[in-house]
């Protein structure tokens, strides 16, 4: 049962060939055997999972069907799970048990999914490797000396190591696509507003969006179909019906116009193996009947600067709520000011960096020079994408210029860490959707990801393009840690 994909397991559950309790026990045993090394889960909720599985088995026995009914999944430690420690990778939320479920967690529970536990993340989603988690560092299942990517590194590693059939992450600047690429799994970042952010712990509110991980495109699509949707508690969530994403996977991409932005292939520091694999993937799309069009996203050279100005500004505002009064632990000092100050000492180094940068760019003297200009430049980038999508249906590029790096390699140089996100942040700044799908391995056996981007709310076209590519290649049959390993 370990090596089944999510949709294969679901079919077996519905046919009555296996039970959800058995699938859940299998995953819990996998976690017990392997997560000591991989460290993908921060909290495992075995008891709750087995109770949810027993309930799912009752629903299945009554003839109920559902995209995730009885399927064991994991969720990022940033998504409020009622009564379960939800700590955002931060000591400032240590032991915080939310009194409610995030919208996406509600959706999972109603659908009858089994939640195995909370997966590791960089503190508040700030990072690209999970090295900024205050609790543990997750390992890449393909090579444990390398990072799994971040910030949803625990979610990606859990799927790659077959310790969940699917997982949820969040993607503010690439945190679903990057770890998916590094771990050789599929990661989907839907359009901003497609999924309600209610109960997703905020990092940068104009960029945050919940995304899904699966071993295959269909698995990630099945997860998305369950968690997507309008919710009046998130004023930015979009009120349009959720399509049947799995039904959109026809594998037919004849005539699909695929844009290749020249700016995404000239970057210094691009690995040769990444460039070769991504170019081969684009040729494959062409062989499948797609039309390849060279395009330009002229302002993409500014994307990283725009992103790190806007994301830090929003983060400094969002993190202001952690004062020891409303959430999590409190360190008591001699008065209110002192208590707040001491409590905020619980923030880790990267969260502090971001708070200081964000406060600086929003301060009276610098607002116009930095934050104001970043907003204007963001509009130019949005316009670039709008223009591009007049001519193409999807855009193809690398997810990241390199494959998974070694632990410690980028910790002492924030710019190096930030550069990891160079190809992912533009999508968050514009209003498009995107994903990463495995497209090969480098000479050291580390996975490479092809990034596909789609126009606003065009998830069906996006997923189908990825599906066509996936079905025509063998990468999704490769398994980092198959059963018995
Ligand atoms: N690595 C990026 C950052 O640190 C993106 C994080 C994310 O998408 N949550 O901001």
């Amino acid at each position: 049962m370990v090596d089944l994909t999510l949709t294969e397991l679901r079919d077996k559950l519905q046919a009555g060939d296996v039970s959800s309790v058995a699938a859940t026990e299998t995953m819990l045993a996998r976690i017990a055997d392997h997560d000591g090394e991989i460290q993908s889960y921060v909290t495992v909720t075995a008891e709750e999972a087995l109770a949810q599985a027993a309930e799912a088995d009752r629903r299945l026995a009554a003839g109920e069907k559902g995209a995730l009914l009885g399927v064991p999944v994991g969720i990022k430690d940033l998504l409020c799970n009622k009564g379960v420690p939800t700590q955002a990778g931060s000591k400032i939320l240590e032991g915080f048990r939310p009194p409610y479920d995030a919208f996406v967690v509600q959706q999972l529970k109603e659908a009858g999914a089994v939640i195995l536990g909370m997966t590791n993340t960089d503190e508040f989603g700030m990072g690209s490797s999970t090295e900024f988690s205050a609790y543990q560092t997750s390992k890449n299942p393909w090579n444990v000396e390398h990072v799994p990517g971040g910030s949803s590194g625990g979610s990606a590693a859990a799927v790659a190591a077959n310790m969940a059939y699917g997982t949820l992450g969040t993607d503010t600047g690439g945190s679903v696509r990057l770890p998916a690429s590094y771990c050789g799994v599929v990661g989907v970042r839907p359009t901003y507003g497609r999924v309600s952010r209610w109960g997703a712990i905020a990092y940068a509110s104009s960029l945050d969006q919940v995304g899904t991980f699966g071993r295959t495109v269909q698995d990630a699509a099945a997860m998305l179909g369950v968690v997507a949707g309008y919710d009046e508690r998130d004023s930015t969530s979009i009120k349009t019906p959720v399509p049947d994403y799995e039904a959109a996977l026809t594998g037919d991409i004849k005539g699909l116009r695929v844009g290749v932005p020249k700016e995404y292939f000239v970057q210094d520091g691009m690995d040769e193996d990444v460039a070769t694999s991504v170019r081969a993937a684009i040729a494959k799309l062409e062989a499948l009947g797609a039309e390849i069009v060279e395009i330009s996203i002229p302002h993409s050279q500014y994307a990283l600067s725009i992103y790190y100005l806007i994301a830090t500004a929003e983060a400094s505002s969002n993190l202001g709520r952690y004062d020891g009064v409303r959430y999590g632990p409190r360190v008591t000092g001699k008065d209110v000011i002192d208590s707040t100050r001491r409590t905020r000492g619980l923030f880790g180094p990267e969260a502090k960096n971001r708070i200081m940068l964000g406060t600086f760019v929003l301060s009276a003297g610098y607002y116009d020079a930095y934050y104001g200009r970043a907003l204007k430049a963001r509009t130019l980038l949005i316009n670039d994408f709008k223009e591009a999508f007049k001519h193409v249906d999807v855009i193809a590029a690398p997810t990241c210029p390199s494959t998974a790096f070694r632990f410690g390699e980028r910790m002492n140089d924030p710019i190096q860490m930030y550069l990891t996100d160079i190809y992912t942040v533009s999508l968050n700044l514009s209003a498009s959707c995107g994903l990463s799908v495995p497209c090969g391995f480098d000479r050291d056996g580390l996975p490479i990801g092809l990034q596909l981007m789609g126009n606003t709310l065009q998830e069906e076209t996006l997923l189908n393009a990825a599906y066509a590519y996936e079905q025509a290649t063998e990468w999704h049959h490769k398994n980092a840690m198959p059963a018995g390993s």
Side-chain angles (χ1 to χ4, degrees):
M1 231 186 294
V2 168
D3 295 341
L4 293 178
T5 66
L6 181 155
T7 41
E8 285 166 354
L9 173 73
R10 179 186 64 198
D11 293 346
K12 287 194 187 298
L13 286 167
Q14 287 179 3
D17 295 345
V18 295
S19 72
S20 175
V21 167
T24 304
E25 281 169 347
T26 303
M27 286 296 107
L28 291 172
R30 268 301 271 192
I31 294 169
D33 288 348
H34 294 285
D35 212 36
E37 182 178 27
I38 302 296
Q39 302 267 303
S40 58
Y41 286 89
V42 186
T43 306
V44 177
T45 50
E47 216 175 289
E48 291 89 334
L50 288 167
Q52 289 163 355
E55 173 59 19
D57 281 332
R58 276 190 285 279
R59 286 168 68 176
L60 284 160
E64 207 181 308
K65 300 208 182 319
L68 297 184
L69 184 55
V71 176
V73 301
I75 62 177
K76 189 176 185 177
D77 194 29
L78 212 53
L79 300 168
C80 286
N81 189 359
K82 189 175 176 179
V84 174
T86 303
Q87 309 178 126
S90 179
K91 288 286 177 194
I92 210 160
L93 279 176
E94 189 164 21
F96 170 62
R97 292 173 190 263
Y100 59 85
D101 282 326
F103 173 81
V104 291
V105 176
Q106 249 171 7
Q107 296 287 96
L108 287 179
K109 288 182 179 170
E110 277 164 25
V114 172
I115 299 177
L116 295 164
M118 312 301 284
T119 55
N120 193 32
T121 170
D122 289 289
E123 185 168 10
F124 290 102
M126 297 166 178
S128 306
S129 65
T130 74
E131 291 168 290
F132 290 127
S133 164
Y135 297 97
Q136 63 202 38
T137 307
S138 304
K139 311 294 179 295
N140 191 313
W142 293 93
N143 182 336
V144 293
E145 285 167 16
H146 292 250
V147 303
S151 62
S152 315
S155 295
V159 170
N162 296 357
M163 292 191 279
Y165 292 94
T167 50
L168 294 183
T170 61
D171 189 316
T172 303
S175 282
V176 166
R177 288 159 289 151
L178 172 71
S181 161
Y182 279 9
C183 290
V185 298
V186 177
V188 180
R189 195 275 186 194
T191 306
Y192 183 77
R194 177 67 288 186
V195 181
S196 166
R197 289 179 291 113
W198 197 78
I201 295 175
Y203 160 14
S205 308
S206 79
L207 302 159
D208 294 342
Q209 186 64 189
V210 177
T212 64
F213 290 95
R215 293 243 319 275
T216 64
V217 173
Q218 195 182 352
D219 288 2
M223 293 282 291
L224 183 61
V226 168
V227 298
Y230 169 72
D231 168 26
E232 61 182 12
R233 297 165 301 183
D234 172 2
S235 59
T236 62
S237 88
I238 303 172
K239 208 172 191 170
T240 71
V242 179
D244 183 342
Y245 294 120
E246 284 186 73
L249 307 178
T250 62
D252 178 5
I253 55 164
K254 279 192 197 63
L256 184 84
R257 296 165 306 166
V258 177
V260 178
K262 55 175 191 271
E263 293 83 1
Y264 282 68
F265 289 86
V266 293
Q267 196 58 48
D268 287 345
M270 166 95 118
D271 276 10
E272 213 181 292
D273 293 350
V274 172
T276 310
S277 292
V278 171
R279 291 237 177 250
I282 292 167
K284 186 66 157 185
L285 291 170
E286 188 169 24
L288 291 168
E291 183 196 332
I292 307 301
V293 186
E294 185 173 309
I295 59 165
S296 173
I297 307 284
H299 295 94
S300 51
Q301 58 175 310
Y302 304 113
L304 207 61
S305 311
I306 304 169
Y307 172 80
Y308 275 99
L309 289 167
I310 292 178
T312 53
E314 293 184 13
S316 72
S317 164
N318 273 327
L319 299 189
R321 73 190 68 179
Y322 304 106
D323 52 10
V325 177
R326 287 165 288 191
Y327 316 88
R330 175 185 309 167
V331 185
T332 311
K334 60 182 188 315
D335 55 26
V336 175
I337 303 281
D338 192 40
S339 299
T340 308
R341 193 179 58 79
R342 287 172 190 268
T343 301
R344 287 182 173 157
L346 296 171
F347 278 125
E350 187 58 17
K352 286 180 184 163
N353 268 352
R354 309 276 179 119
I355 293 168
M356 285 192 290
L357 276 169
T359 308
F360 179 77
V361 304
L362 288 174
S363 60
Y366 295 101
Y367 183 101
D368 288 334
Y370 294 110
Y371 183 68
R373 284 180 79 86
L375 289 184
K376 288 179 190 159
R378 180 180 188 175
T379 303
L380 295 175
L381 191 65
I382 293 172
N383 290 343
D384 285 356
F385 274 87
K386 279 193 183 145
E387 183 56 33
F389 282 122
K390 282 184 193 156
H391 309 288
V392 299
D393 303 303
V394 297
I395 295 174
T399 305
C400 184
S402 65
T403 52
F405 48 91
R406 285 176 184 275
F407 289 101
E409 219 174 84
R410 302 196 179 174
M411 283 298 272
N412 297 325
D413 183 353
I415 300 295
Q416 279 307 313
M417 190 69 94
Y418 297 171
L419 276 169
T420 316
D421 311 325
I422 189 140
Y423 293 147
T424 48
V425 296
S426 293
L427 183 146
N428 305 69
L429 291 164
S430 69
S432 29
C433 53
L435 56 75
S436 180
V437 59
C439 73
F441 292 88
D442 72 2
R443 64 199 70 186
D444 300 320
L446 291 164
I448 298 171
L450 166 71
Q451 181 175 207
L452 295 174
M453 296 173 252
N455 204 353
T456 312
L457 289 178
Q458 298 304 306
E459 279 81 5
E460 291 163 280
T461 308
L462 174 76
L463 288 163
N464 187 41
Y467 179 75
Y469 172 75
E470 175 193 73
Q471 294 303 306
T473 54
E474 289 299 311
W475 311 119
H476 61 295
H477 295 306
K478 306 255 188 278
N479 210 321
M481 292 170 58
S485 66

